[in-house]
Amino acid sequence: GAQARMPEPAARERVLVMPFENASQAARLAWLGEGFAILLADDLRSAGVDAMTRDERLRAFDRFQVPPRATLSRATVIRIGELVGAADVVAGSMDLDGETLVLKARRIHLDAGRLDPEAIERGALGEFPDTCHRLALRLWAGEFESAGSAEARGRAGASPAAFEQYVKGLLAET
């Protein structure tokens, strides 16, 4: 009981990236919420930011008895971030404007108690890895070089269809 509520020891700059909310409610985008969390965390790790992996996030959700695919309030997201010892949390949503993907996210600085302005990126649905990468750059404006995360972007960008199947497989497991 009491032990489960103690925060994990974490690096000072630890970042928790939450799955993106599907604001459009489009069934064909259901997998992308988790996909964006994976891509964004990979981009951040490639740039030297200590972002939690998907497995770490799922273990934390399990430990705190939070369903992995639940829609959470901002207060719950902040509380989970505090419990895992994160310095920052990223929470966002995705929507469709015709065939244009619209990503919106906010960076919550837990240590300073500050919520950054909403970052918005638009792009073609088929180019979602690049749109996510631009969102990472916007969220961490000036804090890392754009070339620093080319490796993570390249992994997902090589085959969006393969990445889709990978994420759908992960979601089927949970």
Side-chain angles (χ1 to χ4, degrees):
Q3 204 172 29
R5 296 196 179 272
M6 296 299 294
E8 294 178 352
R12 187 163 189 250
E13 298 300 317
R14 193 78 165 152
V15 175
L16 171 63
V17 180
M18 300 297 291
F20 280 41
E21 179 185 336
N22 182 1
S24 71
Q25 299 298 316
R28 69 182 178 147
L29 298 183
W31 66 275
L32 259 176
E34 184 66 34
F36 284 126
I38 292 168
L39 286 173
L40 190 57
D42 281 353
D43 257 352
L44 294 175
R45 277 193 304 278
S46 292
V49 176
D50 187 15
M52 292 177 72
T53 65
R54 177 180 188 272
D55 288 340
E56 291 172 312
R57 177 173 34 90
L58 289 179
R59 281 195 301 274
F61 275 34
D62 186 49
R63 194 170 85 220
F64 303 126
Q65 299 178 359
V66 175
R69 295 180 75 176
T71 300
L72 305 175
S73 69
R74 185 175 295 155
T76 301
V77 167
I78 290 170
R79 185 65 182 139
I80 291 171
E82 291 172 341
L83 290 171
V84 299
D88 296 311
V89 176
V90 176
S93 66
M94 60 187 173
D95 204 350
L96 276 179
D97 182 11
E99 284 300 307
T100 301
L101 180 66
V102 181
L103 297 182
K104 299 177 182 179
R106 288 184 179 234
R107 181 176 171 190
I108 305 167
H109 302 268
L110 299 178
D111 50 352
R114 188 178 81 235
L115 180 65
D116 281 355
E118 188 172 63
I120 301 172
E121 279 297 326
R122 296 174 184 271
L125 186 55
E127 298 172 3
F128 64 85
D130 291 330
T131 307
C132 187
H133 176 69
R134 289 192 311 272
L135 183 67
L137 292 174
R138 188 174 297 275
L139 288 167
W140 261 257
E143 293 184 44
F144 66 83
E145 296 295 322
S146 61
S149 56
E151 177 186 322
R153 194 173 71 250
R155 279 195 307 267
S159 175
F163 183 71
E164 178 180 352
Q165 294 308 311
Y166 168 72
V167 174
K168 285 180 176 179
L170 291 174
L171 292 174
E173 291 176 2
T174 57

